Amino acid sequence: MKEKIIEKANDMFLNFGFKSVTMDDLASEMGISKKTIYTHFQNKTKLVEATTDFLFCCVCDGIDSILEENKEPIEELYAIKAFLMYHLKDEKTSPQYQLQKYYPKIHNTLKVKQFEAMQECVIENLVRGIKKGVFRADINIEIISRIYFIGMMGIKDQEMFPRQSFPVSKLMTEYLEYHVRGIVTEKGQTILNNLIKEQ
């Protein structure tokens, strides 16, 4: 039952936001009593913590599966972007923003975990890209990987990018292209242009 509650809560939080969904809403949606939820989770904060952990693990597993396919480095970045957009339901309610505003401790813990996971993945991608001649050999991997992470977090800032004017899918597409164009070789540029045409 605990897993079912986490899965349903995760779905509802992504669709309606962490603030909007109440324990009553969740109980009603699942056809169970609120008492059943409280048997597994002391309060809503504990439930939010469990769902963010669950989503983080799901996303990491999905990205690991993409990495195992050993795609060409630029294709890999676009495959990860497509997976994230599908999995995060286009972030209609900007859960990251709500998490930061209403559950800052959970948000900060998650951000550290995201940074560690993303650093490893991005650095590996950059190293392979350089070896394959699609990324420039003179880039500073440590700096580029950190700039990429900050940018990915930054485009989720609703004050800078209000959702009604800047849909997440558009932002992620533009940012990824911006990132890749800044580091590609001529060979990489050709691959990127072909990928953009296919999108």
Side-chain angles (χ1 to χ4, degrees):
M1 179 53 80
K2 189 175 183 178
E3 285 74 22
K4 284 181 180 171
I5 294 169
I6 290 172
E7 283 176 27
K8 177 51 78 175
N10 178 63
D11 200 46
M12 291 177 78
F13 287 148
L14 285 179
N15 278 309
F16 308 109
F18 288 103
K19 181 81 171 91
S20 313
V21 178
T22 65
M23 296 298 239
D24 284 314
D25 294 333
L26 180 59
S28 168
E29 184 70 24
M30 291 189 75
I32 59 174
S33 71
K34 206 158 62 163
K35 192 178 168 188
T36 306
I37 299 173
Y38 283 118
T39 305
H40 299 284
F41 303 97
Q42 195 181 338
N43 50 44
K44 188 178 170 186
T45 303
K46 292 288 182 195
L47 178 61
V48 169
E49 204 169 16
T51 54
T52 53
D53 278 347
F54 168 77
L55 184 59
F56 176 75
C57 291
C58 286
V59 168
C60 286
D61 289 347
I63 290 172
D64 285 345
S65 296
I66 293 168
L67 299 179
E68 281 166 18
E69 291 174 27
N70 274 320
K71 292 178 183 289
E72 187 280 322
I74 299 172
E75 281 176 14
E76 183 176 271
L77 289 172
Y78 275 85
I80 290 171
K81 184 205 75 146
F83 167 77
L84 288 174
M85 291 318 305
Y86 172 78
H87 217 79
L88 299 176
K89 302 180 188 299
D90 205 15
E91 296 202 337
K92 291 188 274 288
T93 57
S94 189
Q96 193 95 13
Y97 177 74
Q98 286 199 10
L99 198 63
Q100 186 174 6
K101 192 171 178 183
Y102 301 109
Y103 300 94
K105 266 188 171 174
I106 297 173
H107 174 265
N108 290 336
T109 304
L110 182 64
K111 192 175 173 183
V112 171
K113 284 164 69 177
Q114 285 173 327
F115 174 70
E116 287 168 356
M118 202 166 149
Q119 269 295 90
E120 194 180 325
C121 170
V122 174
I123 286 172
E124 195 274 336
N125 180 273
L126 291 170
V127 169
R128 261 189 326 117
I130 290 168
K131 279 183 185 163
K132 287 181 172 282
V134 294
F135 297 150
R136 297 196 328 268
D138 62 347
I139 60 172
N140 185 315
I141 290 172
E142 282 296 326
I143 292 175
I144 297 296
S145 62
R146 281 169 162 78
I147 289 173
Y148 186 61
F149 177 78
I150 288 169
M152 286 295 275
M153 293 294 113
I155 61 175
K156 293 178 180 185
D157 183 338
Q158 284 225 57
E159 284 163 18
M160 290 297 291
F161 298 104
R163 282 295 163 264
Q164 58 273 23
S165 307
F166 302 97
V168 179
S169 54
K170 175 88 173 137
L171 274 173
M172 277 190 82
T173 301
E174 292 281 342
Y175 181 63
L176 183 55
E177 186 181 335
Y178 173 80
H179 165 71
V180 177
R181 282 202 190 280
I183 59 174
V184 285
T185 58
E186 213 170 304
K187 180 183 174 185
Q189 181 86 39
T190 305
I191 293 167
L192 176 65
N193 290 341
N194 289 336
L195 266 173
I196 291 168
K197 273 180 203 163
E198 287 168 19
Q199 297 288 308

